Amino acid sequence: SRRLLPPGVQRRPGADGAAGNAARGRLMADNLLKVQPIRNGTVIDHLRAGAGLKILDILDVASTGNTVSLLINVPSSKQGRKDIIKIEDRELTESETERIALLSPSAHVNIIRNYSVAEKTAVEIPEEVAGVARCPNTNCISNNERGATSRLLLRSREPLQLACAYCARLVAGEELQFL
């Protein structure tokens, strides 16, 4: 029986006009990800699908001059779909790792040195987040008092929910406003 080929794939001549093994091999090769390895830097893997752009924004990588690769909606056997970020010549700070954990708790941060994984850590949502995100309560002392640092306390991991240490206002993960 004859099979339909995806648009753009040319049928190779065969005994019955059907595509031969060469065309099938090309189809499989088209589905593989082709991403350059990095010599030194950071790979953030297992990001929640769709979180990659937000994470790039809070890491402010556009202003650093580092080469950045973002893969969106990559097939994953564990998550179904995931995002991946590669940042050359940069290792993340603890504060940046906390921000990633708040947006994508299942993420892994891989430090690459000389083309090899030197460190691999799963991000963890800390019990207290200070100076990372603001309280949404405009009347909160953390938003109005000079020198006050915002402090959010973890109430629930799934779904993510934090509470302001000053006014006790609950903050859902999707409501977080990063500083």
Side-chain angles (χ1 to χ4, degrees):
S1 70
R2 295 174 61 118
R3 290 189 219 154
L4 293 177
L5 293 175
V9 175
Q10 296 296 314
R11 191 174 290 283
R12 299 237 176 186
D16 62 354
N21 287 338
R24 274 194 284 282
R26 192 173 65 227
L27 281 173
M28 286 180 56
D30 290 345
N31 291 330
L32 297 176
L33 294 173
K34 297 171 189 143
V35 181
Q36 282 286 68
I38 60 174
R39 178 180 205 138
N40 297 303
T42 304
V43 176
I44 310 165
D45 197 3
H46 303 290
L47 293 170
R48 182 177 45 80
L53 286 172
K54 178 76 173 174
I55 289 171
L56 284 179
D57 185 41
I58 64 167
L59 294 177
D60 194 28
V61 292
S63 65
T64 63
N66 299 84
T67 301
V68 177
S69 300
L70 170 62
L71 290 89
I72 299 175
N73 286 322
V74 176
S76 168
S77 58
K78 291 181 182 176
Q79 293 174 252
R81 295 268 175 204
K82 67 179 180 178
D83 289 359
I84 302 171
I85 297 173
K86 295 170 76 170
I87 308 169
E88 289 191 40
D89 299 319
R90 179 169 172 196
E91 294 185 13
L92 301 180
T93 65
E94 185 177 335
S95 173
E96 290 171 325
T97 304
E98 286 178 0
R99 292 170 189 240
I100 293 168
L102 293 170
L103 290 172
S104 187
S106 62
H108 288 82
V109 176
N110 303 308
I111 304 300
I112 309 298
R113 294 189 186 118
N114 202 23
Y115 296 107
S116 297
V117 177
E119 300 172 35
K120 182 173 186 161
T121 56
V123 298
E124 293 183 24
I125 302 171
E127 293 294 322
E128 179 179 329
V129 180
V132 172
R134 88 178 69 239
C135 174
N137 179 0
T138 55
N139 295 323
C140 180
I141 192 170
S142 67
N143 291 322
N144 294 304
E145 192 69 31
R146 176 176 270 168
T149 302
S150 68
R151 289 180 45 226
L152 300 174
L153 307 173
L154 182 65
R155 292 290 180 240
S156 167
R157 292 184 193 280
E158 191 60 42
L160 179 61
Q161 193 169 53
L162 302 133
C164 178
Y166 300 106
C167 70
R169 170 89 175 256
L170 292 177
V171 186
E174 61 272 0
E175 295 175 322
L176 285 172
Q177 299 172 3
F178 292 93
L179 299 173

